[in-house]
């Protein structure tokens, strides 16, 4: 049998070698204060802006401030730490899904029973939700989804690009308001606005978190 | 073989305060034919979503009994939700499938359950604490007698006849259906 030739080193290898995996905002200093004091900062309005504290944990605090109860999710590396933290938090219950449309239906049922869900997914999953979003639109359910983007900034895997490109258009076509977050300092403020607007006036909002902010996937 | 409206009516007779979510098409008409009720949430679309809407309500209201009433086609489209429900183990959720083995709304094409697919076995292997397929009147009566005491999450597929029945149509207004359902838990509209 012919020996397999060693794989040729391409420019991709050099490119990705120096691209550190950045899990959702992981380069901000951690353990700079206790959880209790961080939550207090959020409650007292000190969050947002250019705050250098652990933004993932602040995001968790923000969800709690808005009395979100459930986090249905199809995982994404960008949401990984948020999901891990939510599993450790007695006030938030993550719900693992087999497909994103389950999360849309779950969130609607949750509101029928008086509770709040926020759906976590990546942009590739938006395509799976399309018809289920008619439930949200037709019944005016409050709906918030936090979507980490693929294929919008420095994507290596071309298979992720078509759905990434189509994500905002598809959401808007189904009547969902799209809020883009391209800078870290805008994240908490945008999520805060989305949660407030959705649950106080029955709005349907997707927060798209750019790949620029989430970090490139390590290969 | 059972009659779908007889199954629906007998379940509805046992419901007490239970909330019922019905899947689109015949299941919604069947539920409405037993009499309208604010505790019903009728789906007119969102195929594949009935079980997950049910799980959403069940987890929001753990002291309230939730029944999902749907057809084989609707359940097949949301088959992954059986796995999701199995993981969550809600103790107040029952999934009832009226299984005629056909897509009744679209011209009676044979569905997967008409062939080799067994939804009750899928539910069982997904972690449902009770799962059964019922084909006879005797089975139905037996099930109804034990219904309140059976462990949840519960799954029951009723093998029903392929019938074309007069449609019994609930209101279409989704906002009204949502608001009146929420009102049964004393939630006011925004």
């Amino acid at each position: 049998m012919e020996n397999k030739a060693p794989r040729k080193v391409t420019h991709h290898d050099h490119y990705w070698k120096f691209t550190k995996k950045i899990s959702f905002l992981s380069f901000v200093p951690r353990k700079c204060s206790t959880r209790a004091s961080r939550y207090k900062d959020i409650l007292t309005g000190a969050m947002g802006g250019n705050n250098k504290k652990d933004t993932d944990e602040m995001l968790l605090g923000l969800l709690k401030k808005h009395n979100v109860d459930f986090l249905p999710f199809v995982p994404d590396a960008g949401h990984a730490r948020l999901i891990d933290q939510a599993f450790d938090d007695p006030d938030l219950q993550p719900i693992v899904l087999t497909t994103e449309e389950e999360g849309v239906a779950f969130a609607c049922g949750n509101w029928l029973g008086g509770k709040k869900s926020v759906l976590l997914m990546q942009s590739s999953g938006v395509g799976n939700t399309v018809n289920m979003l008619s439930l949200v639109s037709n019944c005016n359910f409050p709906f918030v989804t936090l979507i980490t983007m693929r294929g919008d900034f420095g994507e290596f895997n071309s298979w992720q690009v078509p759905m990434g490109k189509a994500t905002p258009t598809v959401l808007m076509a189904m009547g969902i308001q799209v809020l883009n977050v391209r800078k870290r300092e805008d994240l908490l403020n945008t999520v805060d606005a989305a949660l407030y607007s959705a649950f106080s006036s029955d709005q349907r909002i997707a927060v798209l978190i750019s790949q620029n902010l989430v970090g490139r996937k390590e290969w | 073989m059972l009659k779908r409206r007889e199954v629906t009516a007998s379940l509805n007779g046992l419901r007490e305060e239970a909330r019922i979510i019905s899947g689109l098409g015949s299941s919604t008409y069947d539920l409405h034919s037993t009499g309208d009720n604010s505790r019903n949430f009728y789906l007119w679309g969102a195929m594949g979503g009935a079980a997950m809407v049910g799980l959403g309500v069940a987890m929001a209201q753990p002291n309230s009994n939730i029944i999902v009433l749907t057809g084989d086609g609707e359940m097949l489209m949301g088959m992954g939700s059986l796995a999701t429900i199995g993981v969550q183990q809600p103790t107040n959720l029952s999934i009832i499938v009226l299984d005629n083995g056909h897509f009744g709304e679209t011209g009676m094409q044979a569905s997967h359950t008409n062939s080799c697919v067994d939804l009750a076995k899928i539910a069982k292997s997904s972690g449902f604490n009770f799962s059964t397929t019922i084909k006879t009147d005797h089975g139905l009566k037996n099930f109804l007698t034990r219904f309140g005491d059976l462990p949840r999450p519960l799954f029951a597929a009723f093998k029903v006849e392929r019938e074309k029945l007069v449609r019994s149509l609930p209101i279409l207004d989704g906002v009204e259906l949502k608001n009146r359902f929420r009102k049964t838990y004393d939630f006011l509209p925004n």
Side-chain angles (χ1 to χ4, degrees):
Chain A
M1 188 187 281
E2 195 179 334
N3 282 336
K4 202 176 174 184
R7 192 171 73 87
K8 195 180 166 189
V9 175
T10 69
H11 69 283
H12 281 303
D13 295 70
H14 297 291
Y15 183 61
W16 293 106
K17 191 174 166 187
F18 299 109
T19 308
K20 190 169 178 270
K21 179 181 179 183
I22 305 166
S23 170
F24 207 51
L25 317 165
S26 61
F27 51 77
V28 292
R30 301 206 68 196
K31 301 195 184 298
C32 49
S33 64
T34 64
R35 169 178 289 208
S37 74
R38 284 172 204 170
Y39 191 31
K40 194 177 160 201
D41 287 344
I42 292 163
L43 290 176
T44 54
M47 61 90 193
N50 294 314
N51 202 313
K52 296 292 184 195
K53 287 181 178 174
D54 185 334
T55 320
D56 263 351
E57 200 153 319
M58 296 191 73
L59 193 53
L60 196 82
L62 189 59
L63 294 167
K64 289 165 66 158
K65 183 190 127 188
H66 284 272
N67 298 313
V68 173
D69 304 283
F70 295 96
L71 294 177
F73 70 94
V74 174
D76 178 63
H79 285 312
R81 276 179 46 201
L82 179 64
I83 293 165
D84 282 349
Q85 288 173 358
F87 269 112
D88 292 337
D89 194 302
D91 296 334
L92 278 164
Q93 200 169 341
I95 309 284
V96 65
L97 309 168
T98 70
T99 174
E100 293 79 357
E101 65 178 327
E102 287 179 11
V104 177
F106 180 87
C108 295
N110 232 210
W111 184 251
L112 286 174
K115 298 283 185 185
K116 298 178 185 174
S117 280
V118 169
L119 172 59
L120 308 178
M121 60 175 157
Q122 65 169 272
S123 52
S124 320
V126 170
N128 297 346
T129 67
V130 179
N131 184 52
M132 204 58 76
L133 291 173
S134 60
L135 176 61
V136 177
S137 296
N138 199 52
C139 302
N140 255 7
F141 277 109
F143 178 70
V144 177
T145 176
L146 308 183
I147 301 169
T148 43
M149 292 301 296
R150 294 292 307 269
D152 79 331
F153 192 93
E155 178 63 61
F156 166 70
N157 181 353
S158 60
W159 293 58
Q160 294 285 353
V161 174
M163 193 62 233
K165 275 184 181 167
T167 290
T169 314
V170 165
L171 288 164
M172 285 188 280
M174 289 308 292
I176 311 294
Q177 185 184 353
V178 171
L179 298 177
N180 286 294
V181 176
R182 296 198 175 89
K183 291 179 182 166
R184 185 172 324 287
E185 58 264 35
D186 294 338
L187 178 70
L188 293 171
N189 205 18
T190 309
V191 174
D192 190 37
L195 290 167
Y196 176 72
S197 190
F199 290 112
S200 63
S201 64
D202 293 339
Q203 299 300 303
R204 305 169 282 286
I205 305 172
V207 178
L208 306 191
I209 302 162
S210 170
Q211 203 167 10
N212 179 35
L213 200 140
V214 175
R216 295 167 183 153
K217 192 178 168 93
E218 186 182 346
W219 294 90
Chain B
M1 284 286 200
L2 295 156
K3 300 268 192 195
R4 55 187 308 136
R5 294 231 166 136
E6 286 177 18
V7 175
T8 309
S10 48
L11 269 169
N12 194 56
L14 289 178
R15 68 184 290 173
E16 295 174 353
E17 300 292 298
R19 271 69 176 176
I20 304 185
I21 315 296
S22 62
L24 86 171
S26 300
S27 312
T28 276
Y29 314 144
D30 294 338
L31 181 58
H32 187 259
S33 75
T34 64
D36 193 20
N37 189 328
S38 301
R39 291 186 173 84
N40 295 346
F41 187 76
Y42 309 103
L43 290 165
W44 274 94
M47 185 165 175
M52 284 306 291
V53 173
L55 180 67
V57 187
M59 294 192 73
Q61 293 287 338
N63 296 320
S64 177
N65 275 319
I66 312 299
I67 299 169
V68 172
L69 181 77
T70 191
D72 48 300
E74 208 275 349
M75 191 68 250
L76 284 160
M77 193 174 281
M79 216 156 73
S81 47
L82 294 176
T84 300
I85 292 166
V87 171
Q88 297 304 327
Q89 292 286 301
T91 54
N92 57 339
L93 181 63
S94 309
I95 310 280
I96 307 293
V97 175
L98 299 170
D99 181 0
N100 66 359
H102 289 80
F103 295 93
E105 277 296 296
T106 52
M108 283 291 175
Q109 299 86 353
S111 82
H112 304 58
T113 58
N114 195 45
S115 179
C116 53
V117 176
D118 186 331
L119 285 169
K121 282 185 183 166
I122 294 167
K124 185 73 186 166
S125 59
S126 299
F128 277 66
N129 290 320
F130 182 85
S131 185
T132 186
T133 302
I134 296 167
K135 297 173 183 170
T136 62
D137 284 328
H138 176 73
L140 173 63
K141 275 183 195 139
N142 191 20
F143 175 80
L144 294 170
T145 331
R146 299 165 62 211
F147 182 61
D149 300 324
L150 292 169
R152 268 68 172 173
L154 173 155
F155 182 95
F158 290 89
K159 290 288 184 185
V160 297
E161 285 175 21
R162 197 176 63 158
E163 297 175 280
K164 285 252 180 197
L165 298 166
V166 177
R167 289 174 177 149
S168 177
L169 306 179
I171 56 165
L172 272 162
D173 184 345
V175 178
E176 171 63 15
L177 288 168
K178 173 190 72 172
N179 287 337
R180 69 179 205 162
F181 186 95
R182 276 169 51 85
K183 203 175 169 190
T184 68
Y185 290 120
D186 297 327
F187 297 120
L188 296 173
N190 271 329

